[in-house]
């Protein structure tokens, strides 16, 4: 292991001026820091949070001629946007069949069209702004059944649901990019005995998320947005009789703006209680192996696709540009990370890929994302001047930038897409302020136990 890798392995979150240690941070494109907000500032729109949502909104609004200030407590892309699995997937967490039952066919169809547009938006921005983020095609969703003995191709768990979803999207939505994988096919793609079937989404892709975020930041600044880092917002207040603009405060600055966008996702903390009770932060963890070499890496994942499995606590993985396996697995439910992230994630790595049981792990890191009780994003207008988007529930690479665009569109007068997302049901977590976290931990622990038992 290199000295740099030794320094990064399991390193805790560092100072606000540094990115948390990860393979993404180690391979990030050069990006000089942005200044810290200082003094009295004014804007048409002030955005709190420098992740995908905030950066996307900043880019859209600046292109529309609005004066934009973005405040980030650490560095742009510092949170989940720069630490995630990098999968640019199709749809939302629930299937379209489920969404039609819950939302009605019209809203479900509109949601699908927006999620498809979200993927196109990412591709267009990457091309237009020449963002170097290693965009690669294909994501497989596979069935994890370690106790299942592969028999006929019609017998693997979840096959009927997978087939129904593929047929439904093809017939109702003209989406023909899903390929059914039988047991032989999934094991040809992925060298693991744990997977027995699934679907390969040729319309999905994967990328280097931190470099994508840095590219969005550069594009937003080029369009005229002002980005300030190390500028944590301690307070925000809506307009009042004597203050026609909303007011936000940092340690060194007071910002007044006509509109405020809260784009903090899992890092909202106590800034907005109306959102916090409907959004729960959880932690997920990723490791990067030592470089495996091109041949060994492609022996694990033949066509360089991204992969996510059917566990409740999802395992997800893909290959890096330098032929490492990037593998995500394991969750915790507070802002504290385990002391030994590598040991936590090594267990599912060894289960999925027994041939890597002794492989060296050069990097191990965690990130805090946010879920809602319905696993649907929470996009809301909290008042005439305050907007919020969070709770992307594992689909943030595609949906968070689109949520930022929908809010920007609404501010500039186009509200149709925003209104559809704003109608998505997201109930408060049960238990109130004191019990909602323990209840979530209990539920998550039960489902994680079922994963381990193969139930």
């Amino acid at each position: 292991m290199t000295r740099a890798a030794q320094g990064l392995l399991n390193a805790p979150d560092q100072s606000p001026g540094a990115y948390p240690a990860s393979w993404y941070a180690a391979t990030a494109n050069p990006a000089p820091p942005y200044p810290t907000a200082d003094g009295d500032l004014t804007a048409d729109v002030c955005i709190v949070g420098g992740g995908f949502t905030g950066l996307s909104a900043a880019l859209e609004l600046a292109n529309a001629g609005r004066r934009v200030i973005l405040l980030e407590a650490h560095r742009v892309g510092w949170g989940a946007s720069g630490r995630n699995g990098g999968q640019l997937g199709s749809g939302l967490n629930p299937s379209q069949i489920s969404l039609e039952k819950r939302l009605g066919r019209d809203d479900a169809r509109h949601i699908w069209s927006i999620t498809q547009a979200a993927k196109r938006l990412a591709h267009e921005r990457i091309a237009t702004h020449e963002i170097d983020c290693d965009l690669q095609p294909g994501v497989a969703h596979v069935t994890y059944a370690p106790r299942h003995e592969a028999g006929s191709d019609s017998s693997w768990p979840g096959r009927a649901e997978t087939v129904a979803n593929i047929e439904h999207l093809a017939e109702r939505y003209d989406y023909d990019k899903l390929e059914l994988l039988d047991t032989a096919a999934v094991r040809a793609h992925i060298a693991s005995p744990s997977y027995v079937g699934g679907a390969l989404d040729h319309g999905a892709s994967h990328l280097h998320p931190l470099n994508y975020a840095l590219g969005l930041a550069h594009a937003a600044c080029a369009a005229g947005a002002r980005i300030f880092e190390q500028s944590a917002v301690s307070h925000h207040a809506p307009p009042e009789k004597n203050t026609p603009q909303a007011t936000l405060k940092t340690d060194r600055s007071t910002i007044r703006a006509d509109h405020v966008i809260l784009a903090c996702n899992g890092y909202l903390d106590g800034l907005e209680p109306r959102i916090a009770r409907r959004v729960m932060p959880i932690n997920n963890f990723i490791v990067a192996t030592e470089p495996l070499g091109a041949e060994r890496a492609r022996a694990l994942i033949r066509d360089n696709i991204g992969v996510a499995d059917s566990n409740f606590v999802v395992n997800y993985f893909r290959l890096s540009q330098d032929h490492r396996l990037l593998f995500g697995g394991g969750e915790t439910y507070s802002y504290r990370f385990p002391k030994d992230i590598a040991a936590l994630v090594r267990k599912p790595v060894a289960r999925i890929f027994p041939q890597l049981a002794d492989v060296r792990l050069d990097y191990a890191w965690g990130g805090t994302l946010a879920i809602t009780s319905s696993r649907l994003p929470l996009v809301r207008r909290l008042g005439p001047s305050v907007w919020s988007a969070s709770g992307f529930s594992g689909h943030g690479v595609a949906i968070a930038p689109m949520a930022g665009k929908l809010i920007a569109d609404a501010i500039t007068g186009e509200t149709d897409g925003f209104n559809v997302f704003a109608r998505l049901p997201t109930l408060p977590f049960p238990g109130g302020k004191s019990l909602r976290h323990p209840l979530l931990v209990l539920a998550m622990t039960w489902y994680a136990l079922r994963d381990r038992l193969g139930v």
Side-chain angles (χ1 to χ4, degrees):
M1 186 186 300
T2 66
R3 182 173 298 176
Q6 286 177 329
L8 286 170
L9 184 61
N10 286 326
D13 284 357
Q14 299 170 358
S15 67
Y19 284 101
S22 70
W23 179 82
Y24 294 139
T27 56
N29 297 328
Y34 293 96
T36 300
D38 193 22
D40 292 333
L41 303 170
T42 59
D44 297 322
V45 184
C46 183
I47 300 167
V48 184
F52 290 149
T53 305
L55 294 169
S56 176
L59 175 57
E60 291 291 324
L61 289 162
N63 279 332
R66 300 300 198 269
R67 297 176 302 151
V68 178
I69 287 175
L70 184 148
L71 303 172
E72 165 55 45
H74 302 281
R75 302 287 307 277
V76 293
W78 185 91
S81 295
R83 311 190 207 183
N84 62 75
Q87 295 190 6
L88 184 67
S90 302
L92 296 178
N93 202 306
S95 71
Q96 282 302 116
I97 295 174
S98 173
L99 285 180
E100 287 181 10
K101 293 176 180 177
R102 294 161 69 173
L103 308 177
R105 186 172 295 180
D106 289 344
D107 270 6
R109 183 172 291 277
H110 202 158
I111 289 293
W112 175 258
S113 68
I114 292 173
T115 62
Q116 287 295 97
K119 294 187 296 181
R120 293 193 298 271
L121 179 68
H123 284 254
E124 289 165 3
R125 285 173 167 173
I126 290 167
T128 299
H129 302 291
E130 299 181 340
I131 301 174
D132 180 10
C133 60
D134 192 30
L135 182 66
Q136 300 290 331
V139 174
H141 299 272
V142 296
T143 297
Y144 177 73
R147 296 186 177 185
H148 177 71
E149 296 295 332
S152 69
D153 289 334
S154 62
S155 65
W156 51 269
R159 185 184 192 279
E161 182 181 354
T162 300
V163 171
N165 186 55
I166 292 173
E167 293 177 348
H168 189 80
L169 288 175
E171 294 170 4
R172 297 280 184 89
Y173 295 87
D174 296 321
Y175 189 73
D176 60 359
K177 298 184 182 300
L178 288 171
E179 174 190 352
L180 182 67
L181 301 178
D182 59 24
T183 301
V186 77
R187 292 183 179 179
H189 279 283
I190 306 160
S192 172
S194 296
Y195 298 123
V196 293
L200 174 55
D201 187 351
H202 294 281
S205 51
H206 57 97
L207 49 73
H208 187 305
L210 180 55
N211 279 336
Y212 180 39
L214 293 172
L216 290 177
H218 181 78
C221 280
R226 301 173 67 188
I227 294 178
F228 296 98
E229 294 181 324
Q230 300 188 62
S231 302
V233 174
S234 57
H235 173 75
H236 79 94
E240 297 178 353
K241 185 177 297 186
N242 298 322
T243 55
Q245 293 180 303
T247 303
L248 303 94
K249 291 187 178 295
T250 73
D251 285 347
R252 294 166 47 181
S253 181
T254 298
I255 303 94
R256 291 181 173 83
D258 297 326
H259 293 273
V260 174
I261 301 175
L262 300 177
C264 309
N265 202 28
Y267 294 90
L268 186 67
D269 295 334
L271 196 59
E272 179 48 73
R274 289 173 291 178
I275 297 300
R277 64 195 182 100
R278 296 173 184 265
V279 173
M280 185 71 71
I282 66 172
N283 304 318
N284 204 254
F285 306 99
I286 305 178
V287 297
T289 69
E290 62 185 296
L292 303 173
E295 183 177 355
R296 190 181 182 193
R298 286 302 181 93
L300 294 176
I301 306 175
R302 186 187 68 191
D303 296 324
N304 197 27
I305 58 175
V307 183
D309 71 20
S310 60
N311 268 2
F312 182 82
V313 180
V314 178
N315 297 307
Y316 53 92
F317 46 90
R318 61 193 184 93
L319 301 176
S320 68
Q321 289 174 295
D322 56 352
H323 309 300
R324 303 172 188 268
L325 179 69
L326 306 179
F327 189 104
E331 290 180 350
T332 60
Y333 312 110
S334 73
Y335 283 109
R336 294 183 179 181
F337 290 174
K339 290 182 179 180
D340 194 343
I341 293 173
L344 175 71
V345 184
R346 182 180 287 279
K347 293 177 182 178
V349 171
R351 284 197 301 270
I352 304 305
F353 293 110
Q355 63 271 48
L356 298 183
D358 297 323
V359 73
R360 190 179 74 226
L361 303 181
D362 280 356
Y363 300 89
W365 68 95
T368 301
L369 63 148
I371 62 172
T372 65
S373 58
S374 63
R375 300 301 188 272
L376 296 170
L378 179 64
V379 179
R380 294 288 188 271
R381 187 173 189 174
L382 302 176
S385 63
V386 181
W387 311 73
S388 176
S390 56
F392 302 110
S393 302
H395 284 248
V397 179
I399 302 305
M402 177 52 74
K405 182 182 186 307
L406 293 178
I407 292 176
D409 289 346
I411 289 174
T412 55
E414 175 53 59
T415 60
D416 285 353
F418 174 86
N419 289 340
V420 172
F421 261 60
R423 289 197 295 268
L424 293 176
T426 51
L427 296 174
F429 280 93
K433 184 176 181 181
S434 60
L435 289 178
R436 67 190 183 102
H437 181 263
L439 288 174
L440 176 72
V441 172
L442 182 63
M444 293 293 196
T445 302
W446 163 242
Y447 282 109
L449 178 61
R450 293 185 62 182
D451 286 344
R452 289 193 292 271
L453 294 176
V455 177

